[in-house]
Amino acid sequence: MTIRLPLDERNRDLFRDQGFLGPLTLMTPEEMAALRAELEAVLRTPGRAPSPDAEQSRGRLADLMAPRNGGSPVPYVESRHLDSPAVHRLCTHPALLSAARSLYGEDLVLWRSTFIAKAPGGPDFRWHQDWGGVFAPGDEYGLEPPLAFTFWIAISEVSEDNGCLRFIPRTRAVLPAAPGSGRRATLLVDDGAVDASGAVAVPLRPGQCVAFTDRALHASGPNLSGAERLGLAVRFTVPAVRVRPHFPGHAVQLVSGRDTANLNTLAAAPAAPGVAQENEID
């Protein structure tokens, strides 16, 4: 059942209780179809993020996505809201920000966004949590204190057949990472330690999204369809969290309210073609 916006108290409590909430409708499938051409044009050119080396890539979601232009997909899919007005508009859609404010208050910063493309025949992604970014000695990035939440937006149809997200409700603890993860690996959980009998699948129509916390235990199945499954994960935090840059040139954007903490460099929204770009501010 689709949850109506703005969120009422019952649905805010449901989000706190189970760790995820959806589907939420941001726009109609027809509206998303009109935007999709712009988003796919963005994906044909690299953005600001550099390609990771093999060790940094191992155990990360991008390692499971198909290469782009013969190389790592990371420059094409990571934090394109920093350079693309179309991606920025989607990340700051009024309905999305309304839901975000209902859950976490008026003051919000946009931390990251990631296109997640699962090709036909693409693999599953194991049970994991998005807690706090990832920390590696001498190569730290992430959040301090760890606090983030995500809106996963469907650009294409997202079904159980092509690998929609599944969640284990009421996961509150940060679970031990599976052995053998890479230097910047996602917090993968040993599948043998997960009781998936109560897992909840959240299929989405284009223009719908699911919101979830940084501790929500989630996974997605393989793409058994003949078409690409395409989504955008939009990750927010609050101004009181210090954000370590994800790559050189990365900075957060204030998208709602005020920043009275002054902990982070703030990036301006990307300018439309022919419009001068504002400077970043501290």
Side-chain angles (χ1 to χ4, degrees):
M1 181 179 68
T2 300
I3 296 166
R4 294 183 179 274
L5 296 173
L7 298 178
D8 58 21
E9 184 177 357
R10 183 182 69 85
N11 282 313
R12 292 196 298 269
D13 288 345
L14 182 62
F15 176 79
R16 300 281 182 235
D17 177 54
Q18 66 180 10
F20 65 95
L21 188 67
L24 310 171
T25 297
L26 304 181
M27 62 184 74
T28 66
E30 293 75 20
E31 289 170 328
M32 178 56 79
L35 179 59
R36 182 170 180 173
E38 287 188 74
L39 300 177
E40 290 183 335
V42 172
L43 284 167
R44 288 195 287 271
T45 59
R48 299 183 185 182
S51 295
D53 61 32
E55 174 57 24
Q56 289 176 331
S57 180
R58 186 165 60 89
R60 293 175 64 186
L61 178 61
D63 199 32
L64 299 176
M65 288 194 276
R68 290 192 177 265
N69 288 340
S72 170
V74 170
Y76 297 85
V77 303
E78 178 58 47
S79 293
R80 299 305 304 275
H81 65 275
L82 292 173
D83 66 87
S84 165
V87 178
H88 187 269
R89 289 199 311 272
L90 183 53
C91 290
T92 58
H93 189 282
L96 187 151
L97 290 183
S98 172
R101 293 185 193 106
S102 294
L103 297 173
Y104 285 89
E106 288 292 321
D107 301 333
L108 300 169
V109 293
L110 175 53
W111 167 36
R112 291 176 58 193
S113 66
T114 308
F115 282 106
I116 302 176
K118 186 172 287 193
D124 63 345
F125 195 54
R126 293 165 45 195
W127 292 107
H128 64 283
Q129 295 170 297
D130 294 342
W131 186 77
V134 180
F135 300 81
D139 190 27
E140 291 86 358
Y141 76 106
L143 308 175
E144 182 57 49
L147 188 157
F149 58 104
T150 297
F151 287 83
W152 201 104
I153 304 170
I155 298 170
S156 68
E157 192 78 27
V158 176
S159 64
E160 292 192 60
D161 187 49
N162 68 14
C164 70
L165 293 183
R166 295 180 295 140
F167 294 89
I168 304 292
R170 292 175 288 282
T171 305
R172 306 196 185 283
V174 179
L175 303 177
S181 299
R183 182 179 181 85
R184 285 190 169 185
T186 302
L187 286 179
L188 297 173
V189 176
D190 187 342
D191 288 346
V194 176
D195 179 3
S197 61
V200 176
V202 185
L204 302 168
R205 300 295 314 280
Q208 292 186 322
C209 68
V210 58
F212 55 95
T213 72
D214 48 9
R215 291 171 294 164
L217 186 59
H218 58 290
S220 66
N223 184 353
L224 303 178
S225 76
E228 179 181 65
R229 189 214 69 176
L230 183 62
L232 180 70
V234 185
R235 309 182 193 280
F236 295 95
T237 185
V238 297
V241 171
R242 184 184 295 278
V243 179
R244 296 179 176 90
H246 189 47
F247 50 83
H250 174 265
V252 300
Q253 293 174 338
L254 182 69
V255 293
S256 178
R258 302 171 58 207
D259 176 13
T260 59
N262 296 315
L263 291 174
N264 300 300
T265 296
L266 300 180
V275 178
Q277 175 70 55
E278 296 180 15
N279 293 327
E280 293 180 354
I281 58 176
D282 290 330

